[in-house]
Amino acid sequence: MNCPACSEPMIVLEVEEIEIDHCLGCGGVWLDSGELELLLENASNRDELMATLAKGVEGKEKHVHCPICSRRLQKLRYGVEKEIILDKCSRDHGIWFDRGELCQALRMGEYLSGRPVYDILSEIFGASCKNDTPK
Ligand SMILES: [Zn+2]
Ligand SMILES: [Zn+2]
């Protein structure tokens, strides 16, 4: 699969039956929709988080297309107090985090720690995000 943002081939990281597609070119990450469910599984405020996902937003960033069906991904807000914007396929193929969005998501650990996908993302990408200055 090629990166939806920069068209470089992505590498597949497979950890505990979860597949994460990662682009070494731009640092973005693609998660299949089932993996998003895993990310939010058992979160105490899961319903609240899913409700925030339903809100569409028009971001100023450039648009990204789904690597599976090529439709333009929808910009969604994610989070309750702190917010990140991510890109999700309207046919539920998955979600795209660009590098900055992924690091922001990892900083929202108070919502998500203990989720298998979160812990894996944190383990793989946490160190490289430490050098990023928060916006
Ligand atoms: Zn890329
Ligand atoms: Zn799609």
Side-chain angles (χ1 to χ4, degrees), residues 2-57:
N2 289 339
C3 174
C6 72
S7 304
E8 292 285 319
M10 290 193 285
I11 58 163
V12 179
L13 307 169
E14 205 176 324
V15 191
E16 294 173 25
E17 295 174 31
I18 294 164
E19 279 189 14
I20 298 163
D21 293 280
H22 177 51
C23 175
L24 297 174
C26 65
V29 169
W30 173 260
L31 290 179
D32 288 335
S33 56
E35 288 147 11
L36 175 65
E37 288 288 316
L38 280 175
L39 184 66
L40 300 179
E41 193 178 31
N42 301 323
S44 57
N45 56 352
R46 180 178 182 283
D47 290 345
E48 204 177 352
L49 286 172
M50 288 310 277
T52 67
L53 274 177
K55 287 183 219 158
V57 288

